[in-house]
Structures are given as structure tokens and as C-alpha cells.
Amino acid sequence: MAEGEFKLINRLFKGAGGSAKGFTSFGIGDDGSIHKPTAACELVVSTDSSVQNVHWPDDFSLDKAADRAVCSALSDLAAMGAEPVCVWLNVMAVDSTAVELLGQGATAALRRYDVELAGGDTSKSATNAVSVTVAGELPAGSAMRRDGAKTGDVVWLCGKLGFHAAGLKQWFDKEYDGLFIQHFETLTPQLQAGIALRERGIACCIDVSDGLLQDAEHICHASKIGMELEINKVPDWAYLSDQLGESAALNNVMQGGEDYALLFTAPAHMAFPDELALKIGHCRQKPGVALLLNGKKVDIGSKGYDHFS
Ligand code: ADP
Ligand code: MG
């Protein structure tokens, strides 16, 4: 790297994220960052890797890929209802141009959500990749978790499903001005909604990253319950099935990943405005996830994206 590694790191990363909150007392510039957690709060920490050709297509721009990687990591905080306090960013890049693009995209996302970049690592690599570690705070004991659902709870969905997969297909088909492309290129973590749900006392939530079926099963497994979901109640179902055909719409919603909607359960007496979430089913004792489409049972084969299958 002609500029020199340390100059490059300082220029690209020091102070380049969102504003510092009280949580970080010392950020980029030493062997580690120093933090002061807020009293009576717990810290939620999550880490995610995104790799070129695995998580984004080879011909997708690196800055947008890194932006999406940060957003998808922040979505894990949204799912648990935490308020982001800082992020650590590992950049693995084939050359300094790639470091620059990945850094620009990641820091742009952090500024958009006003989250501080507290540190990270920068390394040369055979493949471009970023790894994002996020930390968020919430009042002790209030985190929404996958094991919080109860028989009789109503299942709600906040955000869209199936749009990312439709956009990804358009990208592969080179329809760069397609209706769904924007949903593939940009990703919106539902941070405000996650915090609002946690403040309402919601106990169970997950962000749908691997398709509705797989992520609903994660809740069922952790909570030892089953679910019945009505696919035609998923937001924009009629629009999706008009545009894509029923079978492709079904696949996208159930198995397409990366929409990052929030799937949560709430006691039957609770109500939420349509702008926040829609009811898509209920929890029951019988294990497994049953799917209904226009009142009829449907059975779909494979479950969702699995890196090693
Ligand atoms: P060390 O050799 O101690 O691991 P580095 O040279 O890797 O230190 O990093 C120097 C400083 O720059 C550290 O404070 C580190 O957190 C920060 N840093 C390095 N790469 C990144 C990055 N991609 N994003 C944010 N901060 C970074
Ligand atoms: Mg290092």
C-alpha cells in the first residue's frame, strides 16, 4: 500500500463513522478500544462476515457491499431491541483500492445510523470480505430473544419479505433498472422498530435473514412451540405474487434471505399499528411451522439458505 497502512487506516477509519456516544471512552488508535457501559444496561454483541462471491455477487460494487454488511450486522441488534453504541470493522481486501471502497461503504452506513466506529483490523487477503462486530445496549433483562414465544401468542411481521431475492434475481439477469433492484442494493435494519417493540415489553423477536420458514423454525425450536403462518397475510403478498407469479413469490418469501424484516410474537391482547407490523399467524403447541396459503395447507421443500448444504 503506497500510502502506508497506518496513514490509510487513520484517513479511512478514524472518526469516520457516526458520532461517539458515552459508551466509548477511547476509540481508534491503540491496541484496543476502551468502553464504559451504562449502569443497569446489558450489552448485546453480534458479529457477521460478508464475503465477495458468497454474500454479494462478484460484479456488485464494493462500497455498497460493505454498506449492506454493516446494515445486516445492525439488524441483529434490532432483532434483540438494542440501541447500537459502536461497531468494529475488519476489512480484508485484495488491494488498497478495495480497502478504500469497502471502508467508504461501511462508514457511510455507520454515519447514516449515527453509530461510532470504535476499531477494527485491516488486512490483505485473496478475497474481498468484511467482518462487522456490533454492540448495542438495553436495560438489563429486556432483550427480545428467540426463546420468548408462548403458545397462544400472535405472530407479527415488521417489514417486507421476498423483495431482496427478487432484486438479486434481477441483478443476475442484468435487469439493473428492475422494480426490485433497490431492495437488493440497499438494506434497512429495523432499529427504531426493534427498540419500540422491546419498550412495549415484547419478549420474542428474530430478524428474518434466511427466509421466513427457517427463521420461524428457529423461534419454534428455541421456544419449544409450533406456529401456523398465513402466507397471504405477509406484507405486499398480493403485489409480490402479481409481479412474480405465486410460486416464485412463495419461494422468495419462505426461502429468500436478506430482507431483514422483524418476526416477533406478542400476547393476543396486544395490538400494533399497520405501519409497524402485520399479523401473519399464531403460536400453538403442536411443533413445527405449518403454512397456509389462501386457507389451504402448503408444503415447501428445502428450508432456506444453508452455507454448507
Ligand atoms: P494492531 O496492530 O494493534 O492490531 P492495527 O494496526 O491493526 O493495530 O490498528 C491500529 C488502530 O486502527 C487500532 O485502534 C484499530 O482498532 C484501528 N483499525 C484498524 N483497521 C481498522 C478498520 N478496518 N476499521 C476501524 N478501525 C481500524
Ligand atoms: Mg490489527
Side-chain angles (χ1 to χ4, degrees):
M1 294 174 191
E3 185 181 358
E5 182 185 337
F6 299 109
K7 267 196 170 161
L8 181 73
I9 288 173
N10 276 335
R11 177 167 63 77
L12 282 178
F13 300 118
K14 203 165 179 174
S19 56
K21 311 270 158 44
F23 179 76
T24 302
S25 26
F26 189 86
I28 292 175
D30 213 308
D31 289 321
S33 52
I34 305 174
H35 302 279
K36 202 182 266 182
T38 310
C41 275
E42 282 176 332
L43 204 57
V44 176
V45 178
S46 172
T47 194
D48 264 312
S49 302
S50 297
V51 179
Q52 187 163 30
N53 258 330
V54 177
H55 297 91
W56 75 82
D58 214 13
D59 57 347
F60 189 52
S61 60
L62 294 181
D63 55 339
K64 284 184 182 164
D67 187 312
R68 294 184 87 264
V70 167
C71 292
S72 97
L74 290 174
S75 173
D76 285 328
L77 295 181
M80 301 193 81
E83 172 116 43
V85 285
C86 71
V87 160
W88 295 265
L89 173 72
N90 289 357
V91 172
M92 290 140 279
V94 298
D95 56 25
S96 61
T97 308
V99 173
E100 188 114 6
L101 287 170
L102 291 168
Q104 279 166 4
T107 51
L110 290 172
R111 284 193 300 276
R112 198 158 65 249
Y113 292 98
D114 197 21
V115 185
E116 184 188 15
L117 182 58
D121 195 41
T122 307
S123 158
K124 195 168 168 86
S125 158
T127 306
N128 292 313
V130 287
S131 168
V132 186
T133 302
V134 293
E137 282 189 330
L138 40 69
S142 69
M144 301 187 289
R145 297 173 18 169
R146 298 174 180 188
D147 61 0
K150 296 203 162 47
T151 299
D153 277 0
V154 172
V155 180
W156 296 80
L157 191 78
C158 161
K160 293 177 189 299
L161 286 182
F163 283 63
H164 175 273
L168 181 63
K169 180 171 184 309
Q170 289 183 327
W171 182 272
F172 282 131
D173 293 344
K174 305 202 183 308
E175 290 172 39
Y176 299 124
D177 55 357
L179 260 183
F180 296 95
I181 278 286
Q182 168 211 345
H183 300 279
F184 157 71
E185 289 192 326
T186 55
L187 190 164
T188 307
Q190 307 275 349
L191 286 164
Q192 289 314 317
I195 291 166
L197 295 174
R198 187 253 300 153
E199 285 175 347
R200 293 269 319 258
I202 295 303
C204 177
C205 184
I206 190 170
D207 65 327
V208 183
S209 53
D210 294 324
L212 180 59
L213 183 57
Q214 183 160 299
D215 287 315
E217 281 179 347
H218 287 323
I219 288 185
C220 291
H221 185 74
S223 297
K224 301 187 176 64
I225 50 135
M227 272 183 198
E228 189 173 88
L229 301 179
E230 294 178 70
I231 295 158
N232 44 299
K233 294 201 172 160
V234 162
D236 298 307
W237 168 257
Y239 173 76
L240 267 189
S241 71
D242 265 7
Q243 292 293 331
L244 308 174
E246 194 170 83
S247 153
L250 184 62
N251 276 332
N252 281 6
V253 167
M254 300 315 297
Q255 297 166 2
E258 305 207 29
D259 286 294
Y260 298 97
L262 298 181
L263 180 70
F264 66 96
T265 75
H269 64 82
M270 288 185 83
F272 300 90
D274 286 357
E275 309 81 71
L276 180 64
L278 294 178
K279 273 184 203 185
I280 64 161
H282 65 272
C283 300
R284 59 185 194 179
Q285 217 166 359
K286 190 176 170 195
V289 177
L291 303 176
L292 297 177
L293 181 55
N294 303 319
K296 285 201 190 108
K297 267 196 140 183
V298 286
D299 201 4
I300 59 175
S302 103
K303 289 182 177 160
Y305 190 72
D306 179 335
H307 278 264
F308 299 104
S309 64

